Amino acid sequence: MEVSAQGVTQQNTANVATSPKYKDQTKRRGFGFDKIILTLVLLYLLIPLGATFIFSINDGKNFGLSSFQSIINDADFITTFPFSIELAIATTILMVILITPTAYWIQMRLPQARPIMDFLTLVPFGVPAIVMAFGLIQVYGSPNTLVSVLSLGLVPFLSNQLNVVNTPPLLICAYVIIALPFTYRPIDNNLRAINTRVLTEASYSLGSGWWRTFLTVVIPNIWPGIISAALLTFATVMGEFTIASLFSIYTFPIYLDVTGQNDAHKAAALTILSFTITLICVLGIILLIRLRPGGAGKDSQIEIGAAK
Amino acid sequence: MQIGATDSMGDASVNNSAAVKTSKPRGINWSYSITSWLGFAPFFLFCLLFELLPAVMVIQSSFVNSETGAFTLNNYQRIFQEPDKLHAFQNSISISIVTALIGGIIGFIAAYGIYNLSTKWLHNLIVGFSSVAANFAGVPLAFAFIATLGVTGFITTLFLNWFHINLYNSGFSLYTFAGLVLVYIYFQLPLMILLTIPALGAIRPEWREASTNLGASNYTYWTRIALPILFPSLIAAMLLLFANSFGAFATAYALGQGNINLVPIQISFVVNGNVSLDTGLGNALAAGMIAVLLIAVMFYTAMLRRISRWQGR
């Protein structure tokens, strides 16, 4: 789920930021009620992480890295972890290939498609992952005339010829969809922030075609947006449990769930590993936001994409 | 999901492109227009196949008898007749409301605390940490809480050793509704903080000065000026929190292994072949979820419109 409340508040924020005198006069310093609540909230957020970390290095009586060692030697970990990384990379690549040209195309040629795009990126908000997975299993698992007609015959082709139901390729497609709300926005915002039209016209006037302009002029200018979308997609796929579980595909989060039922210390170690992946991806995004045009020094937007 | 649909810069560029368009010789250029839409076709087709059709399928099949294929409302009637299905909806809705309210109110106060921080690096650090925490959810979050407050969890053991209090004997359990609330709050709080900080940025310092000059107390400032202006943003953010926990499955599943009765858990039972459930009933449950979320989305967009009216967005 993307959370970008940036935008029009920017100007106001900028005003506040440029007048530190105002800020000092009107903001309440000291340790008031709000700061107490803030401290409690931070404790609430930090304690489970700290406890899990201690749990992971404290195997019953002794402190040590034995839980981490037993994970690395676990055959299921050796298969599921790289498999999830492959899924995450495949999803990320498919997402970039699908969304980036479309976002550029809409910006340049088809601004009237924006409402449709807004709708499509809003749908995963109204149709949660569990419902989407349940729907996908039925669409590709049981023949239905209405669906066949609406899909222009593509669904029967995919389900009968390619037999995609409950396969990793379908899982990857589903992941691209659940990532939509927070992948399209950063790329689109980045496209709006650079002067896309002027860049494109300059490139055309120098003799480049559409693809050459897109690949050599537009992409290099919007890569911070693309990489933030990619990192968030990667983090989401590495933690996605719902759809993989309904499709019965053995991914890393499923392995984490199965292990956790038997060995709490191993589960804690895996949780720390999972948290580290999230941490690296989100830190990457935060650093990239500073690189975006006009991105530094503001309450920059941060997208939330976790699969709950 | 986003509060504040477009930024001013983007609007400007859209206006520019409109201006460029109209300056071209008029008359409908069909081939140009068809090519334009064709460029959108691959993406739209992808969304149709993997996003829209599953939703259409779920809604259509919820009105169909899964054995005979005839039209029926029986699937929906069964939700009301079978107590555990009705309970699942009650639980899902109440956990979403409770966590949205707690997360919303406490998150707002915490966000105000962050907004008041005068140290820039601390401000950035906390906002950065909030975005990490908001993205930390699902199975790992459930296990983090089991390691903290589970039967042998860190805090549970600490209470036992230091204060000789056994939390689980005094009525607490992580594997119940209250425990789930505690876990959900973990991703709701940081989300609320991230949603609220930009809204607080829209409050102008001049407003407080003006109200103070006119003799308003701190209380009057909050109840008559700041909160009425922030209200639509806060409600919109809390609706997002509601949707966020209403659709959550992995966290609840990993925590209770299916013992906590929520709508997503019931749907997963259908897929995993539980005998008491059939596809028709599962579709009715799924369509019910879509209906609840649709109401939330409608209120959410209504709030966005209010925000744009108030804050000139």
Side-chain angles (χ1 to χ4, degrees):
Chain A
M1 198 152 300
E2 178 192 351
V3 178
S4 77
Q6 165 241 24
V8 191
T9 52
Q10 275 179 1
Q11 280 187 327
N12 298 333
T13 333
N15 281 341
V16 177
T18 48
S19 54
K21 227 173 88 189
Y22 270 148
K23 201 167 166 178
D24 285 357
Q25 281 167 0
T26 47
K27 284 191 178 177
R28 294 165 66 222
R29 294 255 188 90
F31 212 79
F33 176 64
D34 54 320
K35 300 277 170 59
I36 296 169
I37 295 284
L38 176 61
T39 314
L40 291 177
V41 165
L42 289 176
L43 279 177
Y44 179 77
L45 295 178
L46 285 168
I47 286 174
L49 292 174
T52 311
F53 184 67
I54 293 171
F55 218 73
S56 70
I57 55 168
N58 182 0
D59 197 9
K61 291 183 181 71
N62 308 316
F63 282 89
L65 294 175
S66 59
S67 322
F68 287 95
Q69 271 162 359
S70 65
I71 288 168
I72 294 169
N73 297 326
D74 193 332
D76 279 15
F77 175 79
I78 293 167
T79 53
T80 57
F81 193 68
F83 178 54
S84 268
I85 289 181
E86 281 168 30
L87 282 178
I89 292 174
T91 308
T92 309
I93 292 172
L94 182 61
M95 180 278 293
V96 172
I97 290 176
L98 261 176
I99 294 180
T100 322
T102 309
Y104 176 56
W105 187 259
I106 287 178
Q107 170 86 3
M108 293 305 298
R109 291 273 302 257
L110 206 61
Q112 59 269 44
R114 274 192 194 281
I116 305 175
M117 205 63 201
D118 288 341
F119 172 75
L120 290 174
T121 51
L122 202 67
V123 167
F125 176 57
V127 183
I130 181 98
V131 175
M132 194 160 284
F134 188 47
L136 281 169
I137 290 173
Q138 294 177 69
V139 166
Y140 295 97
S142 50
N144 179 306
T145 353
L146 177 71
V147 165
S148 308
V149 173
L150 282 178
S151 69
L152 316 169
L154 278 169
V155 165
F157 173 74
L158 287 172
S159 45
N160 300 331
Q161 309 299 317
L162 302 178
N163 208 6
V164 292
V165 69
N166 293 355
T167 58
L170 188 62
L171 191 63
I172 291 168
C173 294
Y175 285 166
V176 172
I177 294 295
I178 60 164
L180 257 187
F182 51 83
T183 49
Y184 170 63
R185 196 61 60 186
I187 294 176
D188 186 49
N189 281 347
N190 215 157
L191 272 173
R192 287 158 177 251
I194 64 168
N195 208 335
T196 319
R197 184 161 292 275
V198 171
L199 283 178
T200 306
E201 279 166 4
S203 162
Y204 274 14
S205 71
L206 293 170
S208 301
W210 195 87
W211 279 106
R212 191 161 172 207
T213 307
F214 174 68
L215 293 175
T216 61
V217 177
V218 175
I219 296 264
N221 275 293
I222 60 166
W223 68 268
I226 296 176
I227 303 287
S228 355
L231 283 171
L232 208 57
T233 310
F234 188 88
T236 306
V237 175
M238 287 308 288
E240 208 288 330
F241 175 80
T242 310
I243 304 178
S245 143
L246 258 65
F247 283 10
S248 314
I249 295 174
Y250 197 36
T251 60
F252 175 64
I254 310 271
Y255 162 72
L256 172 54
D257 180 55
V258 173
T259 314
Q261 304 316 318
N262 311 319
D263 186 340
H265 292 280
K266 238 164 126 178
L270 287 168
T271 300
I272 292 298
L273 177 65
S274 195
F275 176 77
T276 314
I277 297 170
T278 313
L279 184 75
I280 292 170
C281 289
V282 175
L283 282 183
I285 295 167
I286 292 172
L287 290 178
L288 279 168
I289 284 173
R290 283 160 202 283
L291 293 179
R292 275 192 217 171
K298 281 180 200 144
D299 283 326
S300 32
Q301 85 200 85
I302 291 141
E303 293 83 12
I304 306 301
K308 269 105 195 169
Chain B
M1 244 38 58
Q2 118 161 29
I3 286 188
T6 49
D7 55 336
S8 42
M9 239 171 168
D11 280 346
S13 72
V14 172
N15 289 341
N16 276 343
S17 67
V20 171
K21 277 256 167 62
T22 44
S23 71
K24 278 178 185 168
R26 237 6 211 167
I28 307 159
N29 189 342
W30 282 106
S31 69
Y32 183 83
S33 154
I34 288 171
T35 328
S36 295
W37 284 101
L38 273 180
F40 185 54
F43 180 78
F44 184 78
L45 215 56
F46 185 86
C47 287
L48 180 76
L49 285 178
F50 304 109
E51 181 180 34
L52 301 177
L53 284 179
V56 170
M57 179 88 180
V58 161
I59 295 169
Q60 192 239 359
S61 313
S62 71
F63 292 107
V64 168
N65 184 317
S66 44
E67 273 150 37
T68 63
F71 175 84
T72 179
L73 285 175
N74 188 32
N75 296 324
Y76 287 96
Q77 278 167 358
R78 282 173 61 195
I79 294 181
F80 291 97
Q81 282 159 2
E82 293 175 24
D84 60 327
K85 309 294 174 299
L86 200 58
H87 259 131
F89 262 101
Q90 284 167 348
N91 282 344
S92 272
I93 291 174
S94 46
I95 197 160
S96 307
I97 291 177
V98 168
T99 58
L101 281 176
I102 299 177
I105 293 166
I106 298 179
F108 167 68
I109 301 171
Y112 185 66
I114 297 173
Y115 169 77
N116 275 341
L117 284 174
S118 34
T119 354
K120 185 75 183 160
W121 66 267
L122 196 60
H123 176 280
N124 288 344
L125 184 74
I126 297 176
V127 171
F129 176 64
S130 298
S131 40
V132 176
N135 275 301
F136 182 62
V139 185
L141 178 65
F143 286 130
F145 266 86
I146 291 173
T148 313
L149 280 166
V151 184
T152 57
F154 183 72
I155 300 286
T156 320
T157 329
L158 215 65
F159 266 82
L160 196 62
N161 293 343
W162 288 6
F163 310 113
H164 302 287
I165 300 170
N166 188 336
L167 287 175
Y168 277 75
N169 286 346
S170 46
F172 172 83
S173 170
L174 191 62
Y175 310 97
T176 57
F177 185 84
L180 198 59
V181 168
L182 212 57
V183 181
Y184 276 21
I185 296 281
Y186 192 92
F187 57 72
Q188 300 283 52
L189 274 176
L191 181 57
M192 185 68 190
I193 290 176
L194 294 176
L195 287 168
T196 314
I197 286 180
L200 283 170
I203 297 277
R204 303 226 186 127
E206 294 91 330
W207 295 340
R208 185 189 271 277
E209 292 168 359
S211 72
T212 314
N213 283 343
L214 293 169
S217 66
N218 192 33
Y219 174 79
T220 324
Y221 167 72
W222 274 105
T223 51
R224 304 289 289 273
I225 296 167
L227 281 180
I229 289 169
L230 288 172
F231 189 71
S233 313
L234 296 185
I235 297 294
M238 275 150 95
L239 284 165
L240 277 186
L241 300 195
F242 175 89
N244 199 22
S245 63
F246 192 72
F249 166 73
T251 318
Y253 183 81
L255 195 67
Q257 288 305 305
N259 290 325
I260 301 167
N261 188 14
L262 299 171
V263 187
I265 305 273
Q266 290 280 348
I267 295 175
S268 78
F269 286 163
V270 179
V271 178
N272 296 333
N274 190 310
V275 266
S276 71
L277 289 149
D278 60 73
T279 323
L281 185 59
N283 280 316
L285 290 168
M289 283 191 85
I290 296 179
V292 172
L293 286 169
L294 214 61
I295 296 170
V297 173
M298 275 162 57
F299 278 110
Y300 172 74
T301 45
M303 284 301 144
L304 287 190
R305 246 175 279 131
R306 283 190 70 117
I307 296 170
S308 61
R309 201 171 60 200
W310 266 99
Q311 296 173 4
R313 290 188 184 182

